[in-house]
Amino acid sequence: MADNNSLAGDESVMRKINDRVIIVQVLVSVFLCINFLLITTFFMKDYFYTTMRYILFANTLLSDCLFLIISDILLILNYFHFTIQMWLCLIIYIVLSLHTFVTPFTLTTMTLERYVAICMPLRHAELCSTRSTLQCILIIHSLSSIPCIFILSIFFASATHSFYTQDRICSSHMFMLRGWQGHLRSAISQFYFLIMCITIVFSYVKIMKVAKAASGENKKSTWKGLRTVVLHAFQLLLCLIQLWCPFIESAVLQIDLMLFINIRYFNYITFILAPRCLSPLIYGLRDEMFFHALKYYALCGLYKKQ
């Protein structure tokens, strides 16, 4: 009788997990469709890929799409206990580790672009040229790779050749061979986000001063830029909380497995999916020029701007 109850309980847990995986697939599919439509709109007009804020926006979309696809594949592999060879897991880890930081760094750069546009309009064309934008993207990816380089440099020095051909369930914890590696990565992450927060607060204060002094159409544009900065700050806060999730999940795992599964699912939806779905809201819908172009292509040219 006890065995039957245990079996029924296991089936209930598996059904609940399967339902959650299906829900995640629906959400990821919707977000990817929206992002792909936005990316298509970006490449359809010359003005978009010669303007800094739109290029950075597209960089965020591409990074988020890649992150969502790979993290979703990893989620499915983990939930159903599929094993893969460690060399493939290593590639997945590198990509996810890199693109964990690309979005927040790009958001910070977009905030600085708004600061230059509003507070230094005469120098905007010089400082925010296409060449400067490409240099910024290179710097963003370079800074994003530093935590991964620190972790993997220790791993490569310690791992044996046979490790790369082993079949295991893929997890980032496999590359943390020393306890202090996790603390080091966390310290670098916290330092990064401290700098990002200081940058956003600085930009907010400066734009606020300009907003109070502006008048008419300039005032409206400035306040719109200020709201964009606030939304970037909220999105960065969600990204920052994402870095704390592994520590919370590790502590909960020691207490109860089902609670761990529930919290991990909640964290994935709230702090991984949600921040990467705010970009379309912030720029794809709030930006008037991009919104009209998006509406035009989404309706296959049937929409005409009045």
Side-chain angles (χ1 to χ4, degrees), residues 151-183:
I151 299 301
L152 293 183
S153 60
I154 304 298
F155 172 76
F156 288 143
S158 306
T160 61
H161 292 292
S162 61
F163 178 85
Y164 299 101
T165 56
Q166 294 178 12
D167 289 322
R168 295 188 183 183
I169 297 176
C170 186
S171 171
S172 61
H173 299 294
M174 294 181 176
F175 305 105
M176 304 282 189
L177 302 180
R178 305 284 186 275
W180 56 266
Q181 285 178 277
H183 298 304

mmCIF file of all heavy atoms in Angstrom, residues 151-183:
data_model
loop_
_atom_site.group_PDB
_atom_site.id
_atom_site.type_symbol
_atom_site.label_atom_id
_atom_site.label_comp_id
_atom_site.label_asym_id
_atom_site.label_seq_id
_atom_site.Cartn_x
_atom_site.Cartn_y
_atom_site.Cartn_z
ATOM 1 N N ILE A 151 36.789 31.404 -14.203
ATOM 2 C CA ILE A 151 36.325 30.070 -13.800
ATOM 3 C C ILE A 151 37.000 28.985 -14.635
ATOM 4 O O ILE A 151 37.519 27.986 -14.109
ATOM 5 C CB ILE A 151 34.794 29.968 -13.929
ATOM 6 C CG1 ILE A 151 34.095 30.986 -13.021
ATOM 7 C CG2 ILE A 151 34.330 28.551 -13.603
ATOM 8 C CD1 ILE A 151 34.402 30.847 -11.566
ATOM 9 N N LEU A 152 37.016 29.168 -15.955
ATOM 10 C CA LEU A 152 37.525 28.128 -16.842
ATOM 11 C C LEU A 152 39.043 27.999 -16.792
ATOM 12 O O LEU A 152 39.572 26.922 -17.061
ATOM 13 C CB LEU A 152 37.068 28.395 -18.280
ATOM 14 C CG LEU A 152 35.561 28.265 -18.515
ATOM 15 C CD1 LEU A 152 35.235 28.471 -19.986
ATOM 16 C CD2 LEU A 152 35.054 26.900 -18.056
ATOM 17 N N SER A 153 39.740 29.077 -16.467
ATOM 18 C CA SER A 153 41.199 28.966 -16.357
ATOM 19 C C SER A 153 41.581 28.009 -15.231
ATOM 20 O O SER A 153 42.527 27.218 -15.375
ATOM 21 C CB SER A 153 41.817 30.350 -16.119
ATOM 22 O OG SER A 153 41.315 30.925 -14.923
ATOM 23 N N ILE A 154 40.828 28.047 -14.125
ATOM 24 C CA ILE A 154 41.067 27.100 -13.018
ATOM 25 C C ILE A 154 40.632 25.704 -13.426
ATOM 26 O O ILE A 154 41.317 24.705 -13.143
ATOM 27 C CB ILE A 154 40.290 27.547 -11.759
ATOM 28 C CG1 ILE A 154 40.665 28.981 -11.376
ATOM 29 C CG2 ILE A 154 40.575 26.589 -10.603
ATOM 30 C CD1 ILE A 154 42.115 29.176 -11.027
ATOM 31 N N PHE A 155 39.497 25.613 -14.115
ATOM 32 C CA PHE A 155 38.976 24.309 -14.521
ATOM 33 C C PHE A 155 39.921 23.609 -15.491
ATOM 34 O O PHE A 155 40.220 22.417 -15.332
ATOM 35 C CB PHE A 155 37.593 24.493 -15.163
ATOM 36 C CG PHE A 155 37.063 23.240 -15.786
ATOM 37 C CD1 PHE A 155 36.545 22.224 -15.008
ATOM 38 C CD2 PHE A 155 37.094 23.071 -17.165
ATOM 39 C CE1 PHE A 155 36.066 21.054 -15.581
ATOM 40 C CE2 PHE A 155 36.615 21.915 -17.747
ATOM 41 C CZ PHE A 155 36.097 20.908 -16.953
ATOM 42 N N PHE A 156 40.405 24.314 -16.524
ATOM 43 C CA PHE A 156 41.289 23.715 -17.520
ATOM 44 C C PHE A 156 42.593 23.226 -16.887
ATOM 45 O O PHE A 156 43.181 22.242 -17.333
ATOM 46 C CB PHE A 156 41.599 24.706 -18.634
ATOM 47 C CG PHE A 156 40.431 24.972 -19.547
ATOM 48 C CD1 PHE A 156 40.202 26.238 -20.066
ATOM 49 C CD2 PHE A 156 39.547 23.956 -19.886
ATOM 50 C CE1 PHE A 156 39.129 26.489 -20.893
ATOM 51 C CE2 PHE A 156 38.467 24.199 -20.726
ATOM 52 C CZ PHE A 156 38.259 25.467 -21.221
ATOM 53 N N ALA A 157 43.032 23.919 -15.841
ATOM 54 C CA ALA A 157 44.278 23.531 -15.180
ATOM 55 C C ALA A 157 44.104 22.282 -14.310
ATOM 56 O O ALA A 157 45.086 21.593 -14.006
ATOM 57 C CB ALA A 157 44.788 24.685 -14.326
ATOM 58 N N SER A 158 42.854 21.968 -13.941
ATOM 59 C CA SER A 158 42.608 20.868 -13.005
ATOM 60 C C SER A 158 41.955 19.640 -13.637
ATOM 61 O O SER A 158 42.183 18.515 -13.194
ATOM 62 C CB SER A 158 41.717 21.356 -11.850
ATOM 63 O OG SER A 158 42.272 22.494 -11.223
ATOM 64 N N ALA A 159 41.134 19.835 -14.686
ATOM 65 C CA ALA A 159 40.365 18.727 -15.268
ATOM 66 C C ALA A 159 41.248 17.795 -16.088
ATOM 67 O O ALA A 159 42.202 18.239 -16.741
ATOM 68 C CB ALA A 159 39.238 19.287 -16.143
ATOM 69 N N THR A 160 40.928 16.517 -16.045
ATOM 70 C CA THR A 160 41.656 15.523 -16.848
ATOM 71 C C THR A 160 41.038 15.441 -18.247
ATOM 72 O O THR A 160 39.904 15.864 -18.471
ATOM 73 C CB THR A 160 41.581 14.137 -16.181
ATOM 74 O OG1 THR A 160 40.205 13.732 -16.090
ATOM 75 C CG2 THR A 160 42.185 14.190 -14.777
ATOM 76 N N HIS A 161 41.783 14.847 -19.193
ATOM 77 C CA HIS A 161 41.291 14.723 -20.571
ATOM 78 C C HIS A 161 40.059 13.828 -20.649
ATOM 79 O O HIS A 161 39.179 14.035 -21.496
ATOM 80 C CB HIS A 161 42.403 14.168 -21.468
ATOM 81 C CG HIS A 161 43.545 15.112 -21.667
ATOM 82 N ND1 HIS A 161 43.414 16.290 -22.381
ATOM 83 C CD2 HIS A 161 44.834 15.074 -21.241
ATOM 84 C CE1 HIS A 161 44.566 16.925 -22.394
ATOM 85 N NE2 HIS A 161 45.452 16.214 -21.699
ATOM 86 N N SER A 162 39.992 12.827 -19.793
ATOM 87 C CA SER A 162 38.856 11.900 -19.824
ATOM 88 C C SER A 162 37.549 12.579 -19.405
ATOM 89 O O SER A 162 36.456 12.110 -19.756
ATOM 90 C CB SER A 162 39.127 10.707 -18.907
ATOM 91 O OG SER A 162 39.302 11.149 -17.567
ATOM 92 N N PHE A 163 37.649 13.675 -18.667
ATOM 93 C CA PHE A 163 36.452 14.370 -18.188
ATOM 94 C C PHE A 163 35.581 14.843 -19.349
ATOM 95 O O PHE A 163 34.354 14.782 -19.293
ATOM 96 C CB PHE A 163 36.849 15.559 -17.309
ATOM 97 C CG PHE A 163 35.682 16.372 -16.813
ATOM 98 C CD1 PHE A 163 35.003 16.006 -15.669
ATOM 99 C CD2 PHE A 163 35.256 17.504 -17.501
ATOM 100 C CE1 PHE A 163 33.912 16.748 -15.211
ATOM 101 C CE2 PHE A 163 34.180 18.247 -17.059
ATOM 102 C CZ PHE A 163 33.508 17.866 -15.913
ATOM 103 N N TYR A 164 36.208 15.286 -20.431
ATOM 104 C CA TYR A 164 35.473 15.901 -21.538
ATOM 105 C C TYR A 164 34.619 14.885 -22.312
ATOM 106 O O TYR A 164 33.697 15.288 -23.028
ATOM 107 C CB TYR A 164 36.442 16.594 -22.498
ATOM 108 C CG TYR A 164 37.242 17.696 -21.839
ATOM 109 C CD1 TYR A 164 38.566 17.484 -21.445
ATOM 110 C CD2 TYR A 164 36.664 18.927 -21.592
ATOM 111 C CE1 TYR A 164 39.289 18.486 -20.826
ATOM 112 C CE2 TYR A 164 37.390 19.944 -20.970
ATOM 113 C CZ TYR A 164 38.701 19.715 -20.587
ATOM 114 O OH TYR A 164 39.415 20.708 -19.970
ATOM 115 N N THR A 165 34.907 13.613 -22.189
ATOM 116 C CA THR A 165 34.141 12.593 -22.916
ATOM 117 C C THR A 165 33.143 11.867 -22.012
ATOM 118 O O THR A 165 32.465 10.947 -22.468
ATOM 119 C CB THR A 165 35.096 11.561 -23.549
ATOM 120 O OG1 THR A 165 35.933 10.988 -22.528
ATOM 121 C CG2 THR A 165 35.972 12.227 -24.610
ATOM 122 N N GLN A 166 33.056 12.261 -20.754
ATOM 123 C CA GLN A 166 32.091 11.645 -19.838
ATOM 124 C C GLN A 166 30.683 12.137 -20.138
ATOM 125 O O GLN A 166 30.485 13.278 -20.560
ATOM 126 C CB GLN A 166 32.459 11.980 -18.388
ATOM 127 C CG GLN A 166 33.764 11.366 -17.922
ATOM 128 C CD GLN A 166 34.104 11.772 -16.499
ATOM 129 O OE1 GLN A 166 33.277 12.333 -15.787
ATOM 130 N NE2 GLN A 166 35.339 11.505 -16.080
ATOM 131 N N ASP A 167 29.697 11.271 -19.926
ATOM 132 C CA ASP A 167 28.285 11.639 -20.093
ATOM 133 C C ASP A 167 27.691 11.963 -18.730
ATOM 134 O O ASP A 167 27.650 11.098 -17.843
ATOM 135 C CB ASP A 167 27.500 10.488 -20.738
ATOM 136 C CG ASP A 167 27.858 10.300 -22.201
ATOM 137 O OD1 ASP A 167 28.068 11.320 -22.881
ATOM 138 O OD2 ASP A 167 27.943 9.143 -22.663
ATOM 139 N N ARG A 168 27.233 13.202 -18.567
ATOM 140 C CA ARG A 168 26.645 13.640 -17.302
ATOM 141 C C ARG A 168 25.487 14.595 -17.580
ATOM 142 O O ARG A 168 25.332 15.093 -18.685
ATOM 143 C CB ARG A 168 27.684 14.356 -16.429
ATOM 144 C CG ARG A 168 28.841 13.485 -15.961
ATOM 145 C CD ARG A 168 29.687 14.249 -14.968
ATOM 146 N NE ARG A 168 30.859 13.509 -14.536
ATOM 147 C CZ ARG A 168 31.719 13.961 -13.629
ATOM 148 N NH1 ARG A 168 31.545 15.160 -13.072
ATOM 149 N NH2 ARG A 168 32.760 13.228 -13.284
ATOM 150 N N ILE A 169 24.703 14.837 -16.533
ATOM 151 C CA ILE A 169 23.682 15.882 -16.608
ATOM 152 C C ILE A 169 24.389 17.227 -16.530
ATOM 153 O O ILE A 169 25.135 17.489 -15.588
ATOM 154 C CB ILE A 169 22.656 15.730 -15.475
ATOM 155 C CG1 ILE A 169 21.898 14.406 -15.611
ATOM 156 C CG2 ILE A 169 21.687 16.906 -15.470
ATOM 157 C CD1 ILE A 169 20.939 14.125 -14.482
ATOM 158 N N CYS A 170 24.157 18.081 -17.520
ATOM 159 C CA CYS A 170 24.911 19.332 -17.641
ATOM 160 C C CYS A 170 24.492 20.333 -16.564
ATOM 161 O O CYS A 170 23.297 20.595 -16.373
ATOM 162 C CB CYS A 170 24.701 19.940 -19.033
ATOM 163 S SG CYS A 170 25.718 21.384 -19.351
ATOM 164 N N SER A 171 25.485 20.873 -15.877
ATOM 165 C CA SER A 171 25.246 21.883 -14.849
ATOM 166 C C SER A 171 26.479 22.766 -14.727
ATOM 167 O O SER A 171 27.613 22.293 -14.890
ATOM 168 C CB SER A 171 24.937 21.226 -13.505
ATOM 169 O OG SER A 171 24.918 22.183 -12.475
ATOM 170 N N SER A 172 26.263 24.036 -14.464
ATOM 171 C CA SER A 172 27.391 24.961 -14.328
ATOM 172 C C SER A 172 28.254 24.636 -13.114
ATOM 173 O O SER A 172 29.442 24.971 -13.079
ATOM 174 C CB SER A 172 26.869 26.398 -14.201
ATOM 175 O OG SER A 172 26.054 26.537 -13.051
ATOM 176 N N HIS A 173 27.665 23.963 -12.115
ATOM 177 C CA HIS A 173 28.417 23.639 -10.897
ATOM 178 C C HIS A 173 29.567 22.662 -11.167
ATOM 179 O O HIS A 173 30.504 22.568 -10.370
ATOM 180 C CB HIS A 173 27.475 23.041 -9.841
ATOM 181 C CG HIS A 173 26.384 23.972 -9.431
ATOM 182 N ND1 HIS A 173 26.616 25.144 -8.748
ATOM 183 C CD2 HIS A 173 25.044 23.917 -9.627
ATOM 184 C CE1 HIS A 173 25.479 25.762 -8.514
ATOM 185 N NE2 HIS A 173 24.503 25.039 -9.044
ATOM 186 N N MET A 174 29.508 21.933 -12.274
ATOM 187 C CA MET A 174 30.567 20.977 -12.592
ATOM 188 C C MET A 174 31.897 21.663 -12.894
ATOM 189 O O MET A 174 32.948 21.035 -12.811
ATOM 190 C CB MET A 174 30.155 20.129 -13.798
ATOM 191 C CG MET A 174 28.982 19.229 -13.508
ATOM 192 S SD MET A 174 28.535 18.231 -14.930
ATOM 193 C CE MET A 174 27.231 17.235 -14.217
ATOM 194 N N PHE A 175 31.845 22.926 -13.250
ATOM 195 C CA PHE A 175 33.072 23.646 -13.591
ATOM 196 C C PHE A 175 33.605 24.453 -12.406
ATOM 197 O O PHE A 175 34.607 25.140 -12.531
ATOM 198 C CB PHE A 175 32.814 24.563 -14.792
ATOM 199 C CG PHE A 175 32.253 23.825 -15.975
ATOM 200 C CD1 PHE A 175 30.913 23.929 -16.317
ATOM 201 C CD2 PHE A 175 33.063 22.989 -16.735
ATOM 202 C CE1 PHE A 175 30.389 23.228 -17.395
ATOM 203 C CE2 PHE A 175 32.549 22.281 -17.815
ATOM 204 C CZ PHE A 175 31.210 22.401 -18.135
ATOM 205 N N MET A 176 32.904 24.351 -11.276
ATOM 206 C CA MET A 176 33.357 24.994 -10.040
ATOM 207 C C MET A 176 34.056 23.952 -9.183
ATOM 208 O O MET A 176 33.437 23.298 -8.340
ATOM 209 C CB MET A 176 32.163 25.585 -9.281
ATOM 210 C CG MET A 176 31.337 26.554 -10.092
ATOM 211 S SD MET A 176 32.093 28.170 -10.232
ATOM 212 C CE MET A 176 30.738 29.080 -10.975
ATOM 213 N N LEU A 177 35.348 23.745 -9.421
ATOM 214 C CA LEU A 177 36.085 22.711 -8.710
ATOM 215 C C LEU A 177 36.530 23.150 -7.321
ATOM 216 O O LEU A 177 36.886 22.327 -6.491
ATOM 217 C CB LEU A 177 37.315 22.310 -9.542
ATOM 218 C CG LEU A 177 37.016 21.799 -10.963
ATOM 219 C CD1 LEU A 177 38.304 21.448 -11.681
ATOM 220 C CD2 LEU A 177 36.069 20.606 -10.917
ATOM 221 N N ARG A 178 36.532 24.444 -7.081
ATOM 222 C CA ARG A 178 36.908 24.998 -5.781
ATOM 223 C C ARG A 178 35.767 25.858 -5.263
ATOM 224 O O ARG A 178 35.107 26.549 -6.025
ATOM 225 C CB ARG A 178 38.182 25.850 -5.887
ATOM 226 C CG ARG A 178 39.378 25.138 -6.497
ATOM 227 C CD ARG A 178 40.015 24.152 -5.501
ATOM 228 N NE ARG A 178 41.248 23.586 -6.038
ATOM 229 C CZ ARG A 178 41.320 22.541 -6.821
ATOM 230 N NH1 ARG A 178 40.199 21.921 -7.187
ATOM 231 N NH2 ARG A 178 42.485 22.068 -7.255
ATOM 232 N N GLY A 179 35.571 25.811 -3.956
ATOM 233 C CA GLY A 179 34.488 26.595 -3.372
ATOM 234 C C GLY A 179 34.655 28.088 -3.587
ATOM 235 O O GLY A 179 33.678 28.820 -3.793
ATOM 236 N N TRP A 180 35.896 28.556 -3.588
ATOM 237 C CA TRP A 180 36.133 29.986 -3.725
ATOM 238 C C TRP A 180 35.886 30.494 -5.148
ATOM 239 O O TRP A 180 35.762 31.703 -5.361
ATOM 240 C CB TRP A 180 37.558 30.338 -3.309
ATOM 241 C CG TRP A 180 38.643 29.594 -4.040
ATOM 242 C CD1 TRP A 180 39.259 28.446 -3.645
ATOM 243 C CD2 TRP A 180 39.236 29.958 -5.294
ATOM 244 N NE1 TRP A 180 40.201 28.056 -4.569
ATOM 245 C CE2 TRP A 180 40.208 28.977 -5.586
ATOM 246 C CE3 TRP A 180 39.038 31.006 -6.190
ATOM 247 C CZ2 TRP A 180 40.978 29.020 -6.748
ATOM 248 C CZ3 TRP A 180 39.813 31.055 -7.338
ATOM 249 C CH2 TRP A 180 40.770 30.071 -7.613
ATOM 250 N N GLN A 181 35.790 29.563 -6.128
ATOM 251 C CA GLN A 181 35.509 29.999 -7.497
ATOM 252 C C GLN A 181 34.128 30.661 -7.593
ATOM 253 O O GLN A 181 33.968 31.679 -8.260
ATOM 254 C CB GLN A 181 35.578 28.807 -8.459
ATOM 255 C CG GLN A 181 36.987 28.339 -8.767
ATOM 256 C CD GLN A 181 36.985 27.130 -9.687
ATOM 257 O OE1 GLN A 181 36.833 26.009 -9.250
ATOM 258 N NE2 GLN A 181 37.132 27.382 -10.975
ATOM 259 N N GLY A 182 33.154 30.046 -6.916
ATOM 260 C CA GLY A 182 31.817 30.625 -6.910
ATOM 261 C C GLY A 182 31.794 31.985 -6.243
ATOM 262 O O GLY A 182 31.118 32.910 -6.698
ATOM 263 N N HIS A 183 32.565 32.120 -5.131
ATOM 264 C CA HIS A 183 32.633 33.403 -4.431
ATOM 265 C C HIS A 183 33.313 34.463 -5.291
ATOM 266 O O HIS A 183 32.915 35.635 -5.281
ATOM 267 C CB HIS A 183 33.380 33.239 -3.108
ATOM 268 C CG HIS A 183 32.708 32.292 -2.148
ATOM 269 N ND1 HIS A 183 31.395 32.460 -1.732
ATOM 270 C CD2 HIS A 183 33.149 31.163 -1.535
ATOM 271 C CE1 HIS A 183 31.062 31.485 -0.902
ATOM 272 N NE2 HIS A 183 32.114 30.681 -0.764
#
